[in-house]
Amino acid sequence: MTIRVLIVDDSKFMCHRIQQILEEEPDCQVVGIAENGMQAVRLAQELKPDVITMDVEMPVMDGITAVKKIMANTPTPILMFSAMTHVGAQATLDALNAGALDFLPKKLDDIDSDKALAKIILRRRVRMVAQQAERLHKRKRIITPQPKSAAAFKNRSGKFDLILIAASTGGPVAVQQILKHIPAHCSAPVLIIQHMPGSFTRSFAKRLDEVCKINVVQAEQGDLLKPGIAMVCPGGKQLEISQQFNRCQVMLRDKQAGEIYSPCVDLTFMSVAKNFTGKTLAIILTGMGTDGAKGAQQLKKQGAEIWAQDEASSVIYGMPKAIADAGLADNILNLEQIGQTFDRLN
């Protein structure tokens, strides 16, 4: 099956480069090029592409406005190209909130220092986004049948001492949607492990802090876990916790050889299983791959409760699927159900 791509960028060089990289694969075809958001909206309706690559900063109509209009008129999987800057991070988060499915750095060097590998990553990401076309129609907060009774949503002790939230592709929007339901009086610390570049996580934490009732910050070395404070793991770092004088604190370190993700959900989960003695709730949201499954096994052995996002509300049903397939999920819920349950937490 041929993947039909619409490229949107006001740089002719970038359009040519993206087209060249994608069409090195025989099943990728660039069916159109738009120089601004207004052209993109029109061509999306005329050409019905399988995926759109979208720049943010453009004349006439910017990429964020174009995403909103396309998702309202002709919903299409959109991959944003973003500058790895503070401003670029804010714009990308806006685009994801508007309906874009994923993002990549605009410069190949920011994707990977190995340009050959960067090309492969770009093509793979376009394929992955294109595969979500059918799922777009399932992302309208569908209430799926509850796998267990409403009473089962509460953990056995009636209270959690720590909440872990893990996500990858589709995560920024999903995390925001459920985190804003946590009440201001929540007594549990929250740790958020979101696969995201280091230049984005501080902006992500700031965005969450603006829309949530609890305080949200980017985790720093030595931070103590405090009631009602949510901490986002910095991109490019690994977050583990340690016990110091009967208090739990954050330990950050650089990615080591052989570690695929940074942050890595498995590493954080296993650290919590080893060093935290209270009642833990771990929630695994949308994302590609299986990161979190090994760590969830260790948490389960220590009595933690595990929730997984359901397939219908996931952008990518990979990470939560791994939890469900392993039989680790105490509850399989959509985002609205998780949010409603959070309204009653602690």
Side-chain angles (χ1 to χ4, degrees):
M1 176 181 172
T2 300
I3 299 173
R4 303 169 69 254
V5 182
L6 170 63
I7 299 173
V8 186
D9 200 302
D10 61 328
S11 166
K12 292 182 179 180
F13 171 79
M14 280 302 300
C15 290
H16 175 73
R17 190 75 180 111
I18 295 169
Q19 180 173 6
Q20 186 181 49
I21 292 171
L22 295 180
E23 290 190 339
E24 287 177 4
E25 294 290 304
D27 60 347
C28 278
Q29 178 189 3
V30 174
V31 294
I33 293 176
E35 297 179 354
N36 57 64
M38 186 173 294
Q39 290 181 7
V41 174
R42 176 175 58 80
L43 290 177
Q45 193 162 14
E46 291 178 3
L47 300 175
K48 301 291 190 298
D50 299 307
V51 62
I52 299 172
T53 68
M54 180 81 71
D55 190 21
V56 174
E57 295 293 334
M58 293 179 293
V60 185
M61 181 186 289
D62 64 86
I64 298 169
T65 303
V67 170
K68 291 178 181 178
K69 290 183 177 295
I70 290 170
M71 297 310 293
N73 300 325
T74 53
T76 307
I78 298 175
L79 175 67
M80 300 300 298
F81 281 111
S82 171
M84 294 291 99
T85 63
H86 174 69
V87 174
Q90 291 180 313
T92 301
L93 292 172
D94 287 338
L96 294 174
N97 282 335
L101 294 189
D102 202 359
F103 66 94
L104 273 178
K106 191 167 184 179
K107 294 181 179 179
L108 283 181
D109 289 345
D110 290 331
I111 298 176
D112 196 278
S113 57
D114 183 339
K115 283 187 170 55
L117 181 57
K119 292 180 182 179
I120 294 172
I121 293 172
L122 170 56
R123 289 192 288 261
R124 284 179 179 173
R125 199 66 66 87
V126 167
R127 291 180 190 280
M128 182 187 73
V129 171
Q131 291 170 358
Q132 305 312 308
E134 293 182 5
R135 197 177 299 277
L136 280 177
H137 301 289
K138 299 179 181 179
R139 294 179 67 199
K140 296 182 178 180
R141 300 183 181 180
I142 301 170
I143 297 294
T144 55
Q146 297 180 358
K148 298 183 180 181
S149 67
F153 286 175
K154 293 185 178 180
N155 70 315
R156 289 177 291 279
S157 67
K159 181 179 179 180
F160 295 110
D161 301 304
L162 176 64
I163 298 172
L164 305 173
I165 301 175
S168 186
T169 306
V173 176
V175 170
Q176 177 176 311
Q177 188 170 333
I178 65 172
L179 201 68
K180 66 184 181 182
H181 285 277
I182 296 182
H185 62 266
C186 176
S187 61
V190 181
L191 291 178
I192 300 167
I193 311 301
Q194 166 71 52
H195 293 169
M196 184 176 277
S199 57
F200 277 43
T201 43
R202 192 173 298 278
S203 293
F204 181 46
K206 184 175 183 294
R207 175 69 58 89
L208 292 174
D209 187 61
E210 292 171 351
V211 301
C212 296
K213 302 179 184 72
I214 61 172
N215 292 328
V216 185
V217 298
Q218 178 171 274
E220 304 288 348
Q221 177 69 15
D223 279 349
L224 296 176
L225 301 189
K226 296 180 181 179
I229 302 293
M231 289 188 283
V232 177
C233 179
K237 297 289 185 179
Q238 305 293 18
L239 186 153
E240 299 172 307
I241 67 166
S242 67
Q243 285 276 2
Q244 299 289 337
F245 306 107
N246 294 322
R247 297 187 299 178
C248 281
Q249 69 180 73
V250 168
M251 305 298 292
L252 298 175
R253 65 169 176 81
D254 293 331
K255 178 180 178 181
Q256 297 177 357
E259 293 176 349
I260 299 174
Y261 304 106
S262 57
C264 174
V265 179
D266 279 328
L267 287 175
T268 300
F269 279 13
M270 287 188 283
S271 172
V272 170
K274 180 179 179 181
N275 297 304
F276 190 78
T277 57
K279 182 67 180 180
T280 301
L281 168 65
I283 304 173
I284 295 82
L285 300 175
T286 173
M288 182 172 59
T290 62
D291 190 22
K294 292 181 180 179
Q297 287 181 326
Q298 297 301 314
L299 285 171
K300 193 79 170 178
K301 291 178 181 178
Q302 299 303 317
E305 190 158 331
I306 312 294
W307 296 358
Q309 185 176 352
D310 72 348
E311 181 176 5
S313 66
S314 295
V315 173
I316 301 291
Y317 191 55
M319 288 167 54
K321 182 178 187 297
I323 299 297
D325 288 350
L328 297 171
D330 293 290
N331 284 304
I332 299 175
L333 310 168
N334 64 38
L335 293 178
E336 189 160 341
Q337 290 168 333
I338 296 173
Q340 289 172 348
T341 306
F342 270 3
D343 285 333
R344 306 191 297 271
L345 280 181
N346 291 26

